[in-house]
PDB file of all heavy atoms in Angstrom:
ATOM      1  N   LEU A   1      33.949  -1.793 -36.868  1.00 95.00           N
ATOM      2  CA  LEU A   1      33.855  -0.825 -35.720  1.00 95.00           C
ATOM      3  C   LEU A   1      34.493  -1.558 -34.546  1.00 95.00           C
ATOM      4  O   LEU A   1      35.083  -0.776 -33.661  1.00 95.00           O
ATOM      5  CB  LEU A   1      32.364  -0.635 -35.450  1.00 95.00           C
ATOM      6  CG  LEU A   1      31.622   0.262 -36.469  1.00 95.00           C
ATOM      7  CD1 LEU A   1      30.118   0.339 -36.132  1.00 95.00           C
ATOM      8  CD2 LEU A   1      32.224   1.702 -36.474  1.00 95.00           C
ATOM      9  N   ALA A   2      34.361  -2.870 -34.338  1.00 94.00           N
ATOM     10  CA  ALA A   2      34.988  -3.499 -33.255  1.00 94.00           C
ATOM     11  C   ALA A   2      36.503  -3.383 -33.378  1.00 94.00           C
ATOM     12  O   ALA A   2      37.253  -3.118 -32.384  1.00 94.00           O
ATOM     13  CB  ALA A   2      34.683  -4.973 -33.307  1.00 94.00           C
ATOM     14  N   GLU A   3      37.046  -3.540 -34.573  1.00 95.00           N
ATOM     15  CA  GLU A   3      38.498  -3.331 -34.700  1.00 95.00           C
ATOM     16  C   GLU A   3      39.002  -1.923 -34.317  1.00 95.00           C
ATOM     17  O   GLU A   3      40.100  -1.750 -33.860  1.00 95.00           O
ATOM     18  CB  GLU A   3      38.818  -3.673 -36.256  1.00 95.00           C
ATOM     19  CG  GLU A   3      38.881  -5.089 -36.607  1.00 95.00           C
ATOM     20  CD  GLU A   3      39.117  -5.381 -38.176  1.00 95.00           C
ATOM     21  OE1 GLU A   3      39.813  -4.413 -38.679  1.00 95.00           O
ATOM     22  OE2 GLU A   3      38.660  -6.350 -38.571  1.00 95.00           O
ATOM     23  N   GLN A   4      38.149  -1.017 -34.581  1.00 95.00           N
ATOM     24  CA  GLN A   4      38.527   0.464 -34.242  1.00 95.00           C
ATOM     25  C   GLN A   4      38.222   0.695 -32.809  1.00 95.00           C
ATOM     26  O   GLN A   4      38.562   1.857 -32.310  1.00 95.00           O
ATOM     27  CB  GLN A   4      37.637   1.431 -35.112  1.00 95.00           C
ATOM     28  CG  GLN A   4      37.991   1.301 -36.609  1.00 95.00           C
ATOM     29  CD  GLN A   4      36.914   2.042 -37.488  1.00 95.00           C
ATOM     30  OE1 GLN A   4      35.890   2.563 -36.911  1.00 95.00           O
ATOM     31  NE2 GLN A   4      37.244   2.103 -38.775  1.00 95.00           N
ATOM     32  N   GLY A   5      37.703  -0.305 -32.066  1.00 95.00           N
ATOM     33  CA  GLY A   5      37.454  -0.077 -30.642  1.00 95.00           C
ATOM     34  C   GLY A   5      36.141   0.728 -30.367  1.00 95.00           C
ATOM     35  O   GLY A   5      35.978   1.175 -29.229  1.00 95.00           O
ATOM     36  N   LEU A   6      35.365   0.793 -31.300  1.00 95.00           N
ATOM     37  CA  LEU A   6      34.106   1.639 -31.202  1.00 95.00           C
ATOM     38  C   LEU A   6      32.852   0.773 -30.894  1.00 95.00           C
ATOM     39  O   LEU A   6      31.802   1.342 -30.381  1.00 95.00           O
ATOM     40  CB  LEU A   6      33.728   2.330 -32.559  1.00 95.00           C
ATOM     41  CG  LEU A   6      34.894   3.322 -32.855  1.00 95.00           C
ATOM     42  CD1 LEU A   6      34.531   3.936 -34.226  1.00 95.00           C
ATOM     43  CD2 LEU A   6      35.160   4.389 -31.862  1.00 95.00           C
ATOM     44  N   ALA A   7      32.939  -0.562 -31.057  1.00 95.00           N
ATOM     45  CA  ALA A   7      31.752  -1.423 -30.793  1.00 95.00           C
ATOM     46  C   ALA A   7      32.371  -2.729 -30.107  1.00 95.00           C
ATOM     47  O   ALA A   7      33.486  -3.109 -30.408  1.00 95.00           O
ATOM     48  CB  ALA A   7      31.017  -1.707 -32.012  1.00 95.00           C
ATOM     49  N   THR A   8      31.490  -3.376 -29.334  1.00 95.00           N
ATOM     50  CA  THR A   8      31.910  -4.741 -28.868  1.00 95.00           C
ATOM     51  C   THR A   8      30.670  -5.649 -28.921  1.00 95.00           C
ATOM     52  O   THR A   8      29.500  -5.178 -28.996  1.00 95.00           O
ATOM     53  CB  THR A   8      32.197  -4.518 -27.256  1.00 95.00           C
ATOM     54  OG1 THR A   8      31.134  -4.066 -26.616  1.00 95.00           O
ATOM     55  CG2 THR A   8      33.369  -3.653 -27.120  1.00 95.00           C
ATOM     56  N   TYR A   9      30.974  -6.994 -28.920  1.00 93.00           N
ATOM     57  CA  TYR A   9      29.906  -7.948 -28.996  1.00 93.00           C
ATOM     58  C   TYR A   9      29.893  -8.675 -27.622  1.00 93.00           C
ATOM     59  O   TYR A   9      30.920  -9.031 -27.137  1.00 93.00           O
ATOM     60  CB  TYR A   9      30.108  -8.933 -30.146  1.00 93.00           C
ATOM     61  CG  TYR A   9      29.028  -9.920 -30.329  1.00 93.00           C
ATOM     62  CD1 TYR A   9      27.897  -9.579 -30.934  1.00 93.00           C
ATOM     63  CD2 TYR A   9      29.096 -11.238 -29.767  1.00 93.00           C
ATOM     64  CE1 TYR A   9      26.753 -10.438 -31.047  1.00 93.00           C
ATOM     65  CE2 TYR A   9      28.041 -12.124 -29.810  1.00 93.00           C
ATOM     66  CZ  TYR A   9      26.872 -11.706 -30.474  1.00 93.00           C
ATOM     67  OH  TYR A   9      25.781 -12.609 -30.632  1.00 93.00           O
ATOM     68  N   ARG A  10      28.657  -8.878 -27.194  1.00 91.00           N
ATOM     69  CA  ARG A  10      28.529  -9.538 -25.859  1.00 91.00           C
ATOM     70  C   ARG A  10      27.685 -10.761 -26.054  1.00 91.00           C
ATOM     71  O   ARG A  10      26.743 -10.825 -26.692  1.00 91.00           O
ATOM     72  CB  ARG A  10      27.938  -8.564 -24.837  1.00 91.00           C
ATOM     73  CG  ARG A  10      27.685  -9.249 -23.521  1.00 91.00           C
ATOM     74  CD  ARG A  10      27.082  -8.297 -22.550  1.00 91.00           C
ATOM     75  NE  ARG A  10      26.122  -7.426 -23.046  1.00 91.00           N
ATOM     76  CZ  ARG A  10      25.477  -6.590 -22.275  1.00 91.00           C
ATOM     77  NH1 ARG A  10      25.756  -6.436 -21.060  1.00 91.00           N
ATOM     78  NH2 ARG A  10      24.646  -5.610 -22.807  1.00 91.00           N
ATOM     79  N   GLU A  11      28.261 -11.832 -25.394  1.00 91.00           N
ATOM     80  CA  GLU A  11      27.549 -13.150 -25.443  1.00 91.00           C
ATOM     81  C   GLU A  11      26.752 -13.213 -24.177  1.00 91.00           C
ATOM     82  O   GLU A  11      26.890 -12.545 -23.248  1.00 91.00           O
ATOM     83  CB  GLU A  11      28.558 -14.260 -25.432  1.00 91.00           C
ATOM     84  CG  GLU A  11      29.511 -14.388 -26.635  1.00 91.00           C
ATOM     85  CD  GLU A  11      28.890 -14.946 -27.831  1.00 91.00           C
ATOM     86  OE1 GLU A  11      27.777 -15.465 -27.722  1.00 91.00           O
ATOM     87  OE2 GLU A  11      29.491 -14.873 -28.924  1.00 91.00           O
ATOM     88  N   GLY A  12      25.766 -14.215 -24.105  1.00 88.00           N
ATOM     89  CA  GLY A  12      25.005 -14.402 -22.953  1.00 88.00           C
ATOM     90  C   GLY A  12      23.586 -14.209 -23.205  1.00 88.00           C
ATOM     91  O   GLY A  12      23.019 -14.082 -24.297  1.00 88.00           O
ATOM     92  N   ARG A  13      22.810 -13.975 -22.084  1.00 84.00           N
ATOM     93  CA  ARG A  13      21.384 -13.798 -22.086  1.00 84.00           C
ATOM     94  C   ARG A  13      20.972 -12.649 -22.952  1.00 84.00           C
ATOM     95  O   ARG A  13      20.025 -12.639 -23.744  1.00 84.00           O
ATOM     96  CB  ARG A  13      20.770 -13.733 -20.722  1.00 84.00           C
ATOM     97  CG  ARG A  13      19.266 -13.843 -20.724  1.00 84.00           C
ATOM     98  CD  ARG A  13      18.756 -13.908 -19.187  1.00 84.00           C
ATOM     99  NE  ARG A  13      19.035 -12.684 -18.475  1.00 84.00           N
ATOM    100  CZ  ARG A  13      18.324 -11.639 -18.394  1.00 84.00           C
ATOM    101  NH1 ARG A  13      17.071 -11.606 -18.981  1.00 84.00           N
ATOM    102  NH2 ARG A  13      18.603 -10.553 -17.686  1.00 84.00           N
ATOM    103  N   LEU A  14      21.672 -11.562 -22.851  1.00 81.00           N
ATOM    104  CA  LEU A  14      21.399 -10.302 -23.580  1.00 81.00           C
ATOM    105  C   LEU A  14      22.529 -10.100 -24.695  1.00 81.00           C
ATOM    106  O   LEU A  14      23.222  -9.073 -24.533  1.00 81.00           O
ATOM    107  CB  LEU A  14      21.231  -9.120 -22.655  1.00 81.00           C
ATOM    108  CG  LEU A  14      20.057  -9.136 -21.722  1.00 81.00           C
ATOM    109  CD1 LEU A  14      20.007  -7.857 -20.753  1.00 81.00           C
ATOM    110  CD2 LEU A  14      18.775  -9.134 -22.600  1.00 81.00           C
ATOM    111  N   SER A  15      22.731 -11.053 -25.419  1.00 88.00           N
ATOM    112  CA  SER A  15      23.776 -10.931 -26.396  1.00 88.00           C
ATOM    113  C   SER A  15      23.496  -9.984 -27.511  1.00 88.00           C
ATOM    114  O   SER A  15      22.424  -9.665 -27.707  1.00 88.00           O
ATOM    115  CB  SER A  15      24.106 -12.315 -27.052  1.00 88.00           C
ATOM    116  OG  SER A  15      22.946 -12.711 -27.781  1.00 88.00           O
ATOM    117  N   GLY A  16      24.618  -9.488 -28.069  1.00 91.00           N
ATOM    118  CA  GLY A  16      24.503  -8.514 -29.123  1.00 91.00           C
ATOM    119  C   GLY A  16      25.582  -7.440 -29.154  1.00 91.00           C
ATOM    120  O   GLY A  16      26.389  -7.480 -28.313  1.00 91.00           O
ATOM    121  N   TRP A  17      25.450  -6.558 -30.123  1.00 94.00           N
ATOM    122  CA  TRP A  17      26.440  -5.512 -30.377  1.00 94.00           C
ATOM    123  C   TRP A  17      26.040  -4.329 -29.548  1.00 94.00           C
ATOM    124  O   TRP A  17      24.848  -3.949 -29.388  1.00 94.00           O
ATOM    125  CB  TRP A  17      26.539  -5.158 -31.803  1.00 94.00           C
ATOM    126  CG  TRP A  17      27.116  -6.220 -32.629  1.00 94.00           C
ATOM    127  CD1 TRP A  17      26.559  -7.175 -33.313  1.00 94.00           C
ATOM    128  CD2 TRP A  17      28.571  -6.281 -32.841  1.00 94.00           C
ATOM    129  NE1 TRP A  17      27.457  -7.968 -33.977  1.00 94.00           N
ATOM    130  CE2 TRP A  17      28.725  -7.378 -33.643  1.00 94.00           C
ATOM    131  CE3 TRP A  17      29.645  -5.598 -32.471  1.00 94.00           C
ATOM    132  CZ2 TRP A  17      29.972  -7.868 -34.155  1.00 94.00           C
ATOM    133  CZ3 TRP A  17      30.927  -5.961 -32.854  1.00 94.00           C
ATOM    134  CH2 TRP A  17      31.055  -7.097 -33.737  1.00 94.00           C
ATOM    135  N   SER A  18      26.943  -3.538 -28.943  1.00 93.00           N
ATOM    136  CA  SER A  18      26.884  -2.309 -28.352  1.00 93.00           C
ATOM    137  C   SER A  18      28.027  -1.418 -28.592  1.00 93.00           C
ATOM    138  O   SER A  18      29.100  -1.917 -28.958  1.00 93.00           O
ATOM    139  CB  SER A  18      26.653  -2.506 -26.839  1.00 93.00           C
ATOM    140  OG  SER A  18      27.606  -2.929 -26.222  1.00 93.00           O
ATOM    141  N   LEU A  19      27.818  -0.092 -28.299  1.00 93.00           N
ATOM    142  CA  LEU A  19      28.930   0.760 -28.447  1.00 93.00           C
ATOM    143  C   LEU A  19      29.866   0.632 -27.158  1.00 93.00           C
ATOM    144  O   LEU A  19      29.412   0.424 -26.075  1.00 93.00           O
ATOM    145  CB  LEU A  19      28.425   2.243 -28.488  1.00 93.00           C
ATOM    146  CG  LEU A  19      27.589   2.671 -29.791  1.00 93.00           C
ATOM    147  CD1 LEU A  19      26.981   4.055 -29.523  1.00 93.00           C
ATOM    148  CD2 LEU A  19      28.525   2.560 -30.948  1.00 93.00           C
ATOM    149  N   SER A  20      31.147   0.733 -27.572  1.00 95.00           N
ATOM    150  CA  SER A  20      32.144   0.783 -26.437  1.00 95.00           C
ATOM    151  C   SER A  20      32.117   2.235 -25.923  1.00 95.00           C
ATOM    152  O   SER A  20      31.491   3.152 -26.521  1.00 95.00           O
ATOM    153  CB  SER A  20      33.508   0.584 -26.992  1.00 95.00           C
ATOM    154  OG  SER A  20      33.891   1.579 -27.891  1.00 95.00           O
ATOM    155  N   PRO A  21      32.780   2.572 -24.781  1.00 94.00           N
ATOM    156  CA  PRO A  21      32.851   3.968 -24.371  1.00 94.00           C
ATOM    157  C   PRO A  21      33.340   4.861 -25.512  1.00 94.00           C
ATOM    158  O   PRO A  21      32.814   6.018 -25.661  1.00 94.00           O
ATOM    159  CB  PRO A  21      33.748   3.959 -23.099  1.00 94.00           C
ATOM    160  CG  PRO A  21      33.470   2.450 -22.655  1.00 94.00           C
ATOM    161  CD  PRO A  21      33.351   1.656 -23.786  1.00 94.00           C
ATOM    162  N   ASP A  22      34.430   4.426 -26.136  1.00 95.00           N
ATOM    163  CA  ASP A  22      34.942   5.283 -27.207  1.00 95.00           C
ATOM    164  C   ASP A  22      33.882   5.419 -28.396  1.00 95.00           C
ATOM    165  O   ASP A  22      33.804   6.582 -28.954  1.00 95.00           O
ATOM    166  CB  ASP A  22      36.163   4.696 -27.863  1.00 95.00           C
ATOM    167  CG  ASP A  22      37.384   4.824 -26.916  1.00 95.00           C
ATOM    168  OD1 ASP A  22      37.293   5.640 -25.966  1.00 95.00           O
ATOM    169  OD2 ASP A  22      38.331   4.128 -27.159  1.00 95.00           O
ATOM    170  N   GLY A  23      33.123   4.357 -28.588  1.00 95.00           N
ATOM    171  CA  GLY A  23      32.095   4.384 -29.613  1.00 95.00           C
ATOM    172  C   GLY A  23      31.010   5.394 -29.323  1.00 95.00           C
ATOM    173  O   GLY A  23      30.554   6.096 -30.128  1.00 95.00           O
ATOM    174  N   ARG A  24      30.628   5.337 -27.997  1.00 89.00           N
ATOM    175  CA  ARG A  24      29.577   6.248 -27.597  1.00 89.00           C
ATOM    176  C   ARG A  24      30.078   7.726 -27.637  1.00 89.00           C
ATOM    177  O   ARG A  24      29.320   8.592 -28.111  1.00 89.00           O
ATOM    178  CB  ARG A  24      29.225   5.945 -26.042  1.00 89.00           C
ATOM    179  CG  ARG A  24      28.119   6.854 -25.582  1.00 89.00           C
ATOM    180  CD  ARG A  24      27.670   6.356 -24.137  1.00 89.00           C
ATOM    181  NE  ARG A  24      26.665   7.309 -23.591  1.00 89.00           N
ATOM    182  CZ  ARG A  24      25.405   7.041 -23.617  1.00 89.00           C
ATOM    183  NH1 ARG A  24      24.951   5.920 -24.048  1.00 89.00           N
ATOM    184  NH2 ARG A  24      24.564   7.959 -23.153  1.00 89.00           N
ATOM    185  N   ALA A  25      31.367   7.951 -27.262  1.00 90.00           N
ATOM    186  CA  ALA A  25      31.852   9.375 -27.427  1.00 90.00           C
ATOM    187  C   ALA A  25      31.854   9.805 -28.909  1.00 90.00           C
ATOM    188  O   ALA A  25      31.549  10.929 -29.197  1.00 90.00           O
ATOM    189  CB  ALA A  25      33.296   9.361 -26.745  1.00 90.00           C
ATOM    190  N   GLU A  26      32.306   8.882 -29.813  1.00 93.00           N
ATOM    191  CA  GLU A  26      32.243   9.199 -31.180  1.00 93.00           C
ATOM    192  C   GLU A  26      30.855   9.440 -31.735  1.00 93.00           C
ATOM    193  O   GLU A  26      30.624  10.389 -32.522  1.00 93.00           O
ATOM    194  CB  GLU A  26      33.069   8.046 -32.032  1.00 93.00           C
ATOM    195  CG  GLU A  26      32.943   8.266 -33.523  1.00 93.00           C
ATOM    196  CD  GLU A  26      33.662   9.548 -33.999  1.00 93.00           C
ATOM    197  OE1 GLU A  26      34.387  10.154 -33.295  1.00 93.00           O
ATOM    198  OE2 GLU A  26      33.382   9.950 -35.109  1.00 93.00           O
ATOM    199  N   GLY A  27      29.992   8.643 -31.364  1.00 91.00           N
ATOM    200  CA  GLY A  27      28.569   8.917 -31.632  1.00 91.00           C
ATOM    201  C   GLY A  27      27.996  10.194 -31.191  1.00 91.00           C
ATOM    202  O   GLY A  27      27.295  10.899 -31.940  1.00 91.00           O
ATOM    203  N   GLU A  28      28.358  10.587 -29.987  1.00 87.00           N
ATOM    204  CA  GLU A  28      27.942  11.824 -29.443  1.00 87.00           C
ATOM    205  C   GLU A  28      28.668  13.031 -30.179  1.00 87.00           C
ATOM    206  O   GLU A  28      27.969  14.016 -30.454  1.00 87.00           O
ATOM    207  CB  GLU A  28      28.164  11.924 -27.963  1.00 87.00           C
ATOM    208  CG  GLU A  28      27.242  10.992 -27.227  1.00 87.00           C
ATOM    209  CD  GLU A  28      27.477  10.844 -25.721  1.00 87.00           C
ATOM    210  OE1 GLU A  28      28.434  11.480 -25.182  1.00 87.00           O
ATOM    211  OE2 GLU A  28      26.671  10.117 -25.069  1.00 87.00           O
ATOM    212  N   ARG A  29      29.887  12.787 -30.596  1.00 89.00           N
ATOM    213  CA  ARG A  29      30.513  13.899 -31.334  1.00 89.00           C
ATOM    214  C   ARG A  29      29.831  14.094 -32.729  1.00 89.00           C
ATOM    215  O   ARG A  29      29.580  15.162 -33.229  1.00 89.00           O
ATOM    216  CB  ARG A  29      32.015  13.398 -31.569  1.00 89.00           C
ATOM    217  CG  ARG A  29      32.808  14.552 -32.283  1.00 89.00           C
ATOM    218  CD  ARG A  29      34.176  14.059 -32.924  1.00 89.00           C
ATOM    219  NE  ARG A  29      33.926  13.059 -33.944  1.00 89.00           N
ATOM    220  CZ  ARG A  29      33.481  13.345 -35.171  1.00 89.00           C
ATOM    221  NH1 ARG A  29      33.289  14.545 -35.547  1.00 89.00           N
ATOM    222  NH2 ARG A  29      33.412  12.357 -36.078  1.00 89.00           N
TER     223      ARG A  29
END
């Protein structure tokens, strides 16, 4: 999903995976 630009991984205090804007749009579709 990250390779497709649909998800991103964030480091830090609230680390983890989340949808990218394109991923959110695809999920809503």
Side-chain angles (χ1 to χ4, degrees):
L1 290 171
E3 286 175 23
Q4 296 170 353
L6 301 176
T8 58
Y9 185 80
R10 180 175 33 178
E11 298 283 349
R13 191 173 65 90
L14 295 174
S15 64
W17 288 93
S18 64
L19 292 174
S20 67
D22 286 346
R24 184 175 175 100
E26 174 62 16
E28 289 174 0
R29 185 197 64 74

